[in-house]
């Protein structure tokens, strides 16, 4: 039977309320028990037998299982409808054009139908929607006999060209998934070999097919490795050299959406490598691209651009500017949920580093969804960062009971996962934080410093992840009794070694 409790646990409070309203409108009988079952499963305090007894007064297993099945189907329908509401509006617009054109073709209104198809083709080509273009060309070919004005040979040529592009996209998608699988199973130290071998396996000559879109897909592939290992130095030269290579091709399509994505990824990689001036230079270029085409893509990338700009400011002693940038996005609604979450968490970090703990705590209270929800929207690693900041914040605010519960929750929720991805350093860090919390008087002693020294392998700050360094800076500031933000900046401006794999 479907694990309804697991599915329902992903619902936020708003989702649960909307789903309940959905069931109320859907129910035709007043004695329907689906809402009651949903609420009982959402509470997650009773097992199946207890729920069955509460609903029916005795063990009517057949009725209970039928009710669960109907509830599951309602959840699927509700989720599908919600997804359609959030679906890419451009793709939905093109699909509507195709359906409308086919309707007019059946009515023999050929001129109107082909005009609508031309509109759909223009949009699809601009956004590289190869599957939809295939449907458009297929329809044009099917009804070419009824519309003599169409250039049949030209349509065939476009159809074949699109089919090649679609095939390449599918192949790159396979390569992307296969490389992700290999990275999850193997040592990631030889990324270039893994990439070359996988591309060769599928007979893909990436240079001959080089475009902003294919480069973006490649960046997505290599970024998986960088993210998994926190080694952005490994991919920096590859990104910049390949990008410069594509700029030398004057005949390449503009592809502004993917061009902006690429420049953003380069800026982000340079930031992660603590090359802040270079990162800002690419951000300037990104902003210029966002303003082109009548600022068509400005809103699409506005959050990512401003977040990365503020991060560069924060780590180059311009924290007030960083805070001002992000504060302008608070309490507004945006479709880019992941960027919104990053903005809120980054602003919490800025307030925390600045010592404005009440502001940090007030903003942190806006994270009211479940960890399962945040994991789905922003990833498991984001949830771990949020949980760590939560612990440190309550320690600073001296919320004794909350610190104990947060530490216990972190151990239960994340230790097993951290061990599975070989991130023992995070476990070690939490144990040191807990030790400090319980023995604050020992934090400045040589004994504690030796304990920290012997707990990690150490590498240069040039190679370590910037966010890992930020967490370590808090512990270091306690050991040295210095201002957190000053300690943080100091770590980025010298060659001091810090914990490897913290």
């Amino acid at each position: 039977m479907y694990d309804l409790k697991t599915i329902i646990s992903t619902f936020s409070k708003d989702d649960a309320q909307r789903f309940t309203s959905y069931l109320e409108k859907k129910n035709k009988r007043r004695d329907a028990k689906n809402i009651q079952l949903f609420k009982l499963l959402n509470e997650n305090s009773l097992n199946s037998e207890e729920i069955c007894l509460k609903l029916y007064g005795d063990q009517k297993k057949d009725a209970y299982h039928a009710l669960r099945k109907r509830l599951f189907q309602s959840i699927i329908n509700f989720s599908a409808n919600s997804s359609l509401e959030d679906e890419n509006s451009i793709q939905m617009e093109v699909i509507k054009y195709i359906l409308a054109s086919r309707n007019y073709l059946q009515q023999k209104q050929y001129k109107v139908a082909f005009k609508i198809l031309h509109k759909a083709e223009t949009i699809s080509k601009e956004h590289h929607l190869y599957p939809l273009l295939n449907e458009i060309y297929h329809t044009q070919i099917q009804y070419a006999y009824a519309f003599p004005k169409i250039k049949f040979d030209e349509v065939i040529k476009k159809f074949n060209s699109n089919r090649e592009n679609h095939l390449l996209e599918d192949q790159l998608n396979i390569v992307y998934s296969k490389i992700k699988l290999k990275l999850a199973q193997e040592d990631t130290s030889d990324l270039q070999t893994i990439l070359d071998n996988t591309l060769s396996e599928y007979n893909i000559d990436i240079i001959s097919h080089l475009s902003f879109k294919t480069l973006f897909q490649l960046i997505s592939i290599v970024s998986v490795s960088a993210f998994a290992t926190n080694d952005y130095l490994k991919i920096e030269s590859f990104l910049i050299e390949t990008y410069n290579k594509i700029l030398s091709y004057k005949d390449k399509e503009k592809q502004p959406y993917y061009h902006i994505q690429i420049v953003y990824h380069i800026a982000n990689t340079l930031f992660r490598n603590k090359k802040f001036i270079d990162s800002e230079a690419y951000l300037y270029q990104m902003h210029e691209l966002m303003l082109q085409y009548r600022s068509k893509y400005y809103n699409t990338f506005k959050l990512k651009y401003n977040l990365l700009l503020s991060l560069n400011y924060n780590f180059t002693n311009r924290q007030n500017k960083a805070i001002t940038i992000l504060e302008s996005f608070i309490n507004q609604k945006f479709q880019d949920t992941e960027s919104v979450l990053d903005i809120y968490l980054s602003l919490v970090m800025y307030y925390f580093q600045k010592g404005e703990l009440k502001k940090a705590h007030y903003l942190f209270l806006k994270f009211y969804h479940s960890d399962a929800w945040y994991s789905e929207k922003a990833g498991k690693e984001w949830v771990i960062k949020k949980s760590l900041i939560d612990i440190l914040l309550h320690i600073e605010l001296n919320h004794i009971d909350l610190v104990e519960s947060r530490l216990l929750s972190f151990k239960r929720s994340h230790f097993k996962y951290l061990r599975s991805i070989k991130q023992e350093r995070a476990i070690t860090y939490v144990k040191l934080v807990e030790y400090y919390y319980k023995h604050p008087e020992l934090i400045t002693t040589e004994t504690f410093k030796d304990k920290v020294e012997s707990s990690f392998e150490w590498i240069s700050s040039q190679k370590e992840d910037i966010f890992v360094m930020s967490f370590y800076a808090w512990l270091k500031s306690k050991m040295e009794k210095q201002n957190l933000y000053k300690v943080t900046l100091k770590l980025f401006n010298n060659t001091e070694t810090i914990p490897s794999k913290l």
Side-chain angles (χ1 to χ4, degrees):
M1 180 56 72
Y2 312 108
D3 192 349
L4 281 175
K5 281 189 177 182
T6 301
I7 296 172
I8 291 170
S9 69
T10 64
F11 278 43
S12 66
K13 290 181 181 178
D14 290 341
D15 291 335
Q17 289 176 355
R18 290 195 301 116
F19 182 60
T20 302
S21 299
Y22 169 79
L23 290 178
E24 287 173 349
K25 293 176 182 178
K26 184 174 176 287
N27 288 341
K28 296 180 180 179
R29 293 171 47 182
R30 293 184 179 181
D31 61 344
K33 298 181 183 294
N34 51 7
I35 294 176
Q36 191 179 355
L37 174 60
F38 173 74
K39 289 181 177 179
L40 288 170
L41 289 170
N42 198 26
E43 291 170 3
N44 198 26
S45 58
L46 302 175
N47 60 35
S48 291
E49 289 184 359
E50 291 169 333
I51 292 174
C52 183
L53 189 63
K54 197 170 185 69
L55 288 171
Y56 296 102
D58 55 21
Q59 290 298 324
K60 294 184 178 180
K61 291 185 178 180
D62 290 344
Y64 175 62
H65 284 297
L67 178 63
R68 283 175 61 94
K69 195 171 182 179
R70 290 196 299 273
L71 180 62
F72 173 77
Q73 194 58 52
S74 294
I75 290 174
I76 295 299
N77 293 337
F78 171 77
S79 299
N81 290 336
S82 298
S83 296
L84 283 173
E85 291 174 6
D86 298 333
E87 184 62 66
N88 186 311
S89 58
I90 294 172
Q91 291 191 38
M92 292 303 295
E93 182 183 3
V94 173
I95 290 170
K96 289 176 183 177
Y97 281 139
I98 294 173
L99 293 175
S101 69
R102 287 176 177 171
N103 179 53
Y104 286 117
L105 286 168
Q106 290 174 0
Q107 297 178 33
K108 299 184 178 181
Q109 298 292 328
Y110 301 119
K111 185 176 181 179
V112 174
F114 272 81
K115 190 172 183 178
I116 294 173
L117 280 174
H118 178 70
K119 176 69 173 177
E121 180 188 2
T122 302
I123 298 171
S124 298
K125 286 175 69 175
E126 181 181 353
H127 296 277
H128 311 282
L129 305 176
Y130 303 127
L132 294 180
L133 278 168
N134 186 70
E135 293 297 318
I136 292 166
Y137 295 139
H138 179 84
T139 305
Q140 287 178 340
I141 292 168
Q142 182 182 357
Y143 287 92
Y145 71 90
F147 192 65
K149 288 186 178 181
I150 193 169
K151 297 178 181 178
F152 187 76
D153 291 340
E154 187 177 320
V155 175
I156 296 295
K157 186 178 179 180
K158 288 192 291 185
F159 174 76
N160 289 329
S161 176
N162 181 71
R163 187 167 55 183
E164 290 179 8
N165 290 330
H166 192 188
L167 177 61
L168 177 64
E169 184 176 59
D170 286 342
Q171 287 178 319
L172 286 172
N173 185 50
I174 294 171
V175 168
Y176 173 67
S177 297
K178 194 156 189 175
I179 290 177
K180 283 189 72 175
L181 182 62
K182 287 185 177 181
L183 292 175
Q185 297 172 343
E186 302 175 8
D187 177 18
T188 60
S189 58
D190 194 4
L191 171 65
Q192 192 64 49
T193 300
I194 294 174
L195 178 61
D196 291 342
N197 289 344
T198 311
L199 289 171
S200 176
E201 182 181 349
Y202 289 92
N203 298 314
I204 298 176
D205 178 8
I206 204 64
I207 298 303
S208 65
H209 293 96
L210 200 60
S211 68
F212 286 117
K213 183 173 183 179
T214 54
L215 177 55
F216 171 68
Q217 289 173 301
L218 268 182
I219 286 174
S220 298
I221 292 171
V222 298
S223 294
V224 171
S225 171
F227 180 78
T229 61
N230 282 328
D231 190 354
Y232 285 84
L233 283 170
K234 187 188 300 180
I235 69 170
E236 180 186 312
S237 60
F238 171 82
L239 297 186
I240 295 174
E241 288 172 12
T242 312
Y243 174 62
N244 288 333
K245 187 179 294 184
I246 194 175
L247 287 179
S248 67
Y249 285 77
K250 295 181 180 179
D251 60 331
K252 289 296 179 183
E253 295 178 72
K254 297 296 183 182
Q255 298 181 323
Y257 175 82
Y258 295 104
H259 193 170
I260 296 170
Q261 287 271 32
I262 291 165
V263 175
Y264 166 76
H265 275 281
I266 295 174
N268 183 56
T269 298
L270 290 165
F271 163 74
R272 298 298 290 261
N273 290 338
K274 296 167 282 293
K275 298 180 179 180
F276 304 114
I277 294 175
D278 293 338
S279 176
E280 285 188 48
Y282 275 94
L283 280 174
Y284 175 82
Q285 183 180 344
M286 178 183 177
H287 191 259
E288 291 295 302
L289 290 168
M290 289 163 60
L291 293 174
Q292 291 180 6
Y293 304 97
R294 298 180 181 178
S295 300
K296 182 175 183 178
Y297 298 100
Y298 187 86
N299 287 333
T300 303
F301 294 100
K302 178 171 62 176
L303 297 185
K304 283 184 169 63
Y305 165 78
N306 282 285
L307 172 60
L308 188 52
L309 183 63
S310 79
L311 285 165
N312 275 288
Y313 284 165
N314 184 67
F315 290 106
T316 51
N317 202 19
R318 293 174 285 176
Q319 192 176 66
N320 288 334
K321 289 184 71 173
I323 290 172
T324 299
I325 288 173
L326 295 197
E327 282 181 337
S328 65
F329 296 105
I330 299 303
N331 297 324
Q332 295 188 51
K333 289 187 177 181
F334 300 96
Q335 289 186 340
D336 187 355
T337 303
E338 185 174 357
S339 292
V340 170
L341 292 175
D342 284 338
I343 284 172
Y344 273 70
L345 194 61
S346 296
L347 190 52
V348 168
M349 179 181 71
Y350 300 166
Y351 287 148
F352 183 82
Q353 290 174 335
K354 195 177 182 182
E356 296 184 342
L357 301 178
K358 289 185 178 179
K359 280 188 176 182
H361 185 237
Y362 176 77
L363 188 59
F364 197 93
L365 291 175
K366 295 185 180 293
F367 294 132
Y368 57 84
H369 291 292
S370 67
D371 279 356
W373 188 89
Y374 287 118
S375 184
E376 179 187 344
K377 300 296 182 182
K380 185 77 172 177
E381 285 72 19
W382 186 94
V383 173
I384 291 173
K385 287 178 186 177
K386 177 181 77 74
S387 300
L388 281 174
I389 291 175
D390 192 23
I391 292 169
L392 301 185
L393 186 56
H394 287 303
I395 289 175
E396 292 288 1
L397 292 169
N398 201 28
H399 294 165
I400 299 173
D401 294 337
L402 289 175
V403 174
E404 293 284 354
S405 66
R406 296 298 194 274
L407 282 167
L408 183 60
S409 176
F410 190 95
K411 292 174 185 178
R412 288 175 175 172
S413 301
H414 305 306
F415 270 24
K416 184 178 179 180
Y417 170 76
L418 289 168
R419 288 192 178 100
S420 73
I421 61 171
K422 300 178 182 179
Q423 291 291 335
E424 294 285 345
R425 61 179 179 168
I427 295 174
T428 302
Y429 177 76
V430 171
K431 289 178 179 177
L432 288 171
V433 169
E434 183 175 18
Y435 184 87
Y436 159 71
Y437 167 67
K438 292 180 177 178
H439 309 284
E441 72 282 359
L442 301 178
I443 190 73
T444 59
T445 65
E446 289 301 319
T447 302
F448 184 80
K449 290 179 181 178
D450 291 341
K451 184 179 179 67
V452 173
E453 187 75 25
S454 62
S455 295
F456 305 104
E457 297 176 10
W458 297 75
I459 61 175
S460 69
S461 60
Q462 181 187 14
K463 291 185 177 180
E464 187 52 275
D465 177 70
I466 192 168
F467 296 112
V468 167
M469 292 173 70
S470 298
F471 281 110
Y472 172 68
W474 178 82
L475 194 61
K476 188 174 178 65
S477 72
K478 295 300 179 186
M479 291 190 290
E480 297 182 353
K481 287 190 173 181
Q482 292 185 10
N483 175 272
L484 170 58
Y485 187 53
K486 289 182 179 178
V487 170
T488 303
L489 294 179
K490 186 179 177 182
L491 281 177
F492 298 127
N493 290 301
N494 60 29
T495 57
E496 182 175 352
T497 55
I498 62 170
S500 170
K501 300 180 180 178
L502 173 63

